[in-house]
Amino acid sequence: MLTRIDHIGIACFDLDKTVEFYRATYGFEVYHSEINEEQGVREAMLKINDTSDGGASYLQLLEPTREDSAVGKWLAKNGEGVHHIAFGTADVDGDAADIRGKGVRVLYDEPRTGSMGSRITFLHPKDCHGVLTELVTSATEH
């Protein structure tokens, strides 16, 4: 069962400049940052609030580390902006299987490692009304 909006992913050309915008404009601070070599991104998670299920909601700022990454290709085509929305779940495997059973394409056969040690998978945007959708089980939930 999906329990929260885990994060909204925002693609950007310059992570440091974008972090500074969100800090100066809204007061959001970096909660976590990392480089995900597999996905070809440098990212910063800005914590917005805690949630009633023990999780949190974040903005995830994503800067590609290489042009051929999914985010790099997306930026080249679309420019900066909202890249995806992620829903939190205690069981990414089970929810992905349930959603696949409803005819929605799940992009990974097996969940992969995401931010902060989470387990993630994505749903095809053409099956989700044009929205790239991520399912996330945080490291504290698995």
Side-chain angles (χ1 to χ4, degrees):
M1 173 177 74
L2 306 180
T3 58
R4 69 184 175 282
I5 295 175
D6 185 86
H7 67 270
I8 296 173
I10 299 172
C12 61
F13 291 110
D14 184 327
L15 184 66
D16 297 325
K17 183 177 171 182
T18 307
V19 164
E20 179 55 25
F21 169 81
Y22 280 96
R23 189 203 59 72
T25 305
Y26 305 114
F28 298 150
E29 297 294 338
V30 174
Y31 178 80
H32 176 83
S33 62
E34 68 182 81
I35 295 175
N36 186 317
E37 296 292 346
E38 180 183 9
Q39 294 180 23
V41 294
R42 192 176 88 141
E43 64 180 78
M45 297 294 275
L46 285 63
K47 188 174 184 179
I48 307 306
N49 65 303
D50 293 311
T51 61
S52 62
D53 66 356
S57 293
Y58 303 89
L59 286 181
Q60 179 187 45
L61 306 179
L62 300 159
E63 175 189 43
T65 58
R66 56 182 196 271
E67 291 178 15
D68 69 337
S69 70
V71 172
K73 292 176 186 176
W74 190 91
L75 266 172
K77 181 179 177 183
N78 301 292
E80 293 184 307
V82 174
H83 179 262
H84 67 275
I85 186 167
F87 295 108
T89 173
D91 183 9
V92 69
D93 299 271
D95 283 336
D98 288 347
I99 291 168
R100 180 181 280 126
K102 295 174 182 172
V104 175
R105 288 174 281 179
V106 178
L107 299 183
Y108 303 151
D109 290 333
E110 294 291 325
R112 297 182 182 179
T113 301
S115 300
M116 300 183 287
S118 62
R119 297 187 71 239
I120 65 165
T121 195
F122 285 90
L123 309 178
H124 200 291
K126 289 184 179 178
D127 297 342
C128 299
H129 297 273
V131 178
L132 179 62
T133 303
E134 182 178 5
L135 305 180
V136 179
T137 298
S138 67
T140 58
E141 292 176 317
H142 65 80

